[in-house]
Amino acid sequence: MSENPLAPPRLRFPTDPSALTARIWPASATRTDDGELAVGGITASDLVRQFGTPLYVVDERDVQSRAVRVRTAFSEAFGRIGTRAHVYYAGKAFLTTQVAAWMAEAGLRVDVCTGGELAVALAGGVGPGMLGFHGNDKSDAEIARAVEVGVGTIVLDSHEEVQRVARAAADAGIVQRVRVRINSGVHASTHEYLATAREDQKFGIPLTEAEQAAAEVRAEPSLAFVGLHSHIGSQIFDEAGFREAARRLMDVHAALVATGPVPELNLGGGWGIDYTEADSAFAPEDVAGALATIVAEACAERGIPVPEIAVEPGRYIVGPAGITLYSVGTIKPVTLEAADAHPGDEPVVATEDDAVAADEPTADVATRTYVSVDGGMSDNARPALYGADYTARLARSSDAPAVLSRVVGKHCESGDVVVQDEYLPGDVHRGDLLAVAATGAYCWSLASNYNHVGRPPVVAVADGAARILVRGESIDDLLARDTGVLPAAGSGR
């Protein structure tokens, strides 16, 4: 067998379609002696017997070790330049009460951006002083609650929030620590929907208005200006964006130091992870070292003290530690002309010299196998949202030749794709278990009930045991909030 002409250039024909690339899969992922996928010491089939499919599976030890690795990398890198680094876990990636507790145990702070995330973090035992509160449209109730519980830092996303947070803090009789989120104008190399520092978008205050915003904060007795905040986007592999954002931020930071204390600088998060073989993620030590060098050099050039630094990784910590298990349903081979492989390419215009007989084939044909699973965009919206790529493997090993496949969901949308392009063993069949790697971040967080499909359970695995982090939704759960449901006969209701 050879590469399928329908496959994208990034996807290479595998020598072993059952192989697990370590940098893509959870740290404990392995195959047993009989070839079955196991995570946390538990086989996929055992997990499915207990919890069914679809099923989110999180390698608990991997999450914890990655959190500690990031904290250690930044503590050491910034310690070498004479300052401290604070790591906030970006809760939007994946947050449950137990995940929040893991972060606290690992010595991380937690970043939340809604009242719901705030409630989950607090319920997980995170001290309010270890929380940062984000959001471009915080409600008055959310601001009041954050101030009331004693959130460590509120990130101001607009000029109007200065007065709103100041009023809430004054009403509570406290001085609230705040940061000002700056739109640096850096165009990160990522999908448009993942870039958060471009000029034409909803987040932050323009760089040119940073000093004005800081002055507004300093004029409020109930606010304490902690420093600036920047986040240029997510799933970024090019370090140039991080360097340029840090440089621009340091220019404004230096100007503000001349007019008052600026103890901290928050450089955000956003470095990518490996979803496929084509990706090449940063190591946290490399990110931390590069940022420390940039900050140290910038401060030396400007003759200012090195501030304390904060960063906000989320995806790096939980993404690779999670997988999703599905049951395979319908298998549907589709034969196409190879010329249709990449419909986004410029069309080829034929000339008279290119004319061929009407009965002569004009292109080779190739087959793509559609592999349907019992989930889809309701448990992983990322491919539909911004064309995210993933890696998939059958839970069992196979010696069958690989075939180009597209893993699709059960929803009523043509865009309901789980894995756009993957080589799977040609003997894939109904009833197989299929695992998709690196689904720990933004899959459960973005899950929905589209087509009235219940959201799957989330289980943590470690040392041969599994426990539920979030239970799955049943039909009863889906009906529970529907006020039109008729009472059962004989219920007396």
Side-chain angles (χ1 to χ4, degrees):
M1 298 291 290
S2 61
E3 291 189 14
N4 189 309
L6 299 175
R10 69 158 182 85
L11 186 65
R12 295 289 177 253
F13 190 82
T15 56
D16 179 5
S18 299
L20 305 175
T21 302
R23 61 190 172 87
I24 297 173
W25 293 83
S28 66
T30 187
R31 290 201 180 270
T32 63
D33 291 341
D34 61 0
E36 184 175 5
L37 173 68
V39 180
I42 311 177
T43 63
S45 59
D46 282 343
L47 287 167
V48 170
R49 274 191 288 271
Q50 292 182 67
F51 306 106
T53 57
L55 179 66
Y56 297 116
V57 181
V58 178
D59 182 338
E60 180 175 348
R61 299 284 182 261
D62 196 12
V63 172
Q64 293 168 328
S65 66
R66 295 176 77 87
V68 170
R69 181 180 176 185
V70 172
R71 176 181 56 78
T72 301
F74 277 87
S75 294
E76 292 180 351
F78 283 90
R80 289 193 292 269
I81 65 170
T83 191
R84 296 192 302 169
H86 307 292
V87 178
Y88 287 78
Y89 169 67
K92 60 183 178 289
F94 174 51
L95 188 65
T96 72
T97 56
Q98 291 171 82
V99 170
W102 296 346
M103 296 303 112
E105 291 166 6
L108 271 62
R109 303 180 182 193
V110 177
D111 167 61
V112 299
C113 57
T114 66
E117 288 184 354
L118 173 60
V120 171
L122 292 172
V126 181
M130 301 292 281
L131 296 173
F133 197 115
H134 271 282
N136 68 294
D137 188 30
K138 307 175 192 71
S139 69
D140 289 340
E142 287 175 323
I143 291 172
R145 179 60 176 163
V147 169
E148 175 190 4
V149 301
V151 161
T153 309
I154 295 178
V155 180
L156 305 177
D157 201 86
S158 61
H159 290 285
E160 72 165 44
E161 276 194 352
V162 176
Q163 286 72 41
R164 294 174 62 219
V165 175
R167 284 195 300 269
D171 290 345
I174 69 164
V175 175
Q176 176 64 54
R177 288 165 41 96
V178 297
R179 306 181 197 274
V180 173
R181 178 164 180 167
I182 298 303
N183 186 335
S184 65
V186 172
H187 292 206
S189 299
T190 186
H191 190 280
E192 178 184 358
Y193 291 174
L194 298 177
T196 58
R198 296 176 180 178
E199 294 86 348
D200 187 9
Q201 68 133 294
K202 70 177 186 178
F203 291 112
I205 293 171
L207 193 68
T208 54
E209 299 173 17
E211 292 185 55
Q212 174 192 344
E216 292 169 2
V217 171
R218 286 168 167 167
E220 297 290 344
S222 60
L223 300 180
F225 180 61
V226 174
L228 302 175
H229 174 280
S230 171
H231 182 64
I232 64 172
S234 300
Q235 190 56 8
I236 300 169
F237 296 108
D238 182 359
E239 71 173 25
F242 296 114
R243 289 181 175 274
E244 178 60 17
R247 185 191 67 76
R248 294 185 187 187
L249 225 61
M250 287 303 304
D251 285 340
V252 180
H253 176 89
L256 292 174
V257 167
T259 57
V262 191
E264 294 184 10
L265 180 65
N266 190 317
L267 297 175
W271 54 91
I273 64 170
D274 295 321
Y275 284 103
T276 71
E277 295 278 1
D279 295 327
S280 182
F282 298 116
E285 293 81 6
D286 293 338
V287 177
L291 291 177
T293 299
I294 292 167
V295 170
E297 291 176 351
C299 290
E301 291 170 1
R302 293 160 178 79
I304 60 174
V306 178
E308 294 188 2
I309 295 296
V311 291
E312 297 171 348
R315 186 192 313 268
Y316 174 83
I317 292 172
V318 293
I323 67 170
T324 305
L325 293 174
Y326 299 97
S327 292
V328 172
T330 301
I331 307 294
K332 186 183 296 184
V334 176
T335 300
L336 302 167
E337 289 188 353
D340 295 331
H342 306 290
D345 293 345
E346 288 296 318
V348 176
V349 179
T351 67
E352 287 186 9
D353 293 337
D354 298 321
V356 294
D359 59 349
E360 183 178 339
T362 59
D364 294 332
V365 297
T367 299
R368 188 196 320 277
T369 299
Y370 279 76
V371 178
S372 297
V373 295
D374 58 347
M377 63 194 301
S378 61
D379 58 73
N380 188 351
R382 295 186 68 251
L385 275 179
Y386 30 73
D389 290 319
Y390 282 90
T391 295
R393 294 289 183 268
L394 293 185
R396 62 176 175 86
S397 60
S398 171
D399 295 327
V403 296
L404 181 66
S405 304
R406 177 164 293 165
V407 181
V408 296
K410 64 184 294 177
H411 299 286
C412 296
E413 300 283 346
S414 296
D416 179 25
V417 175
V418 179
V419 183
Q420 183 79 5
D421 298 286
E422 181 61 282
Y423 282 107
L424 294 176
D427 61 352
V428 57
H429 58 76
R430 174 177 288 274
D432 265 332
L433 296 180
L434 182 137
V436 176
T439 61
Y442 298 103
C443 290
W444 183 86
S445 297
L446 289 168
S448 74
N449 291 132
Y450 182 45
N451 289 151
H452 278 73
V453 172
R455 287 170 291 187
V458 186
V459 299
V461 293
D463 309 320
R467 60 192 177 100
I468 293 179
L469 297 183
V470 183
R471 69 172 178 83
E473 289 178 318
S474 66
I475 295 296
D476 287 342
D477 290 324
L478 295 177
L479 292 172
R481 292 186 297 153
D482 190 326
T483 62
V485 175
L486 298 175
S491 68
R493 290 163 47 197

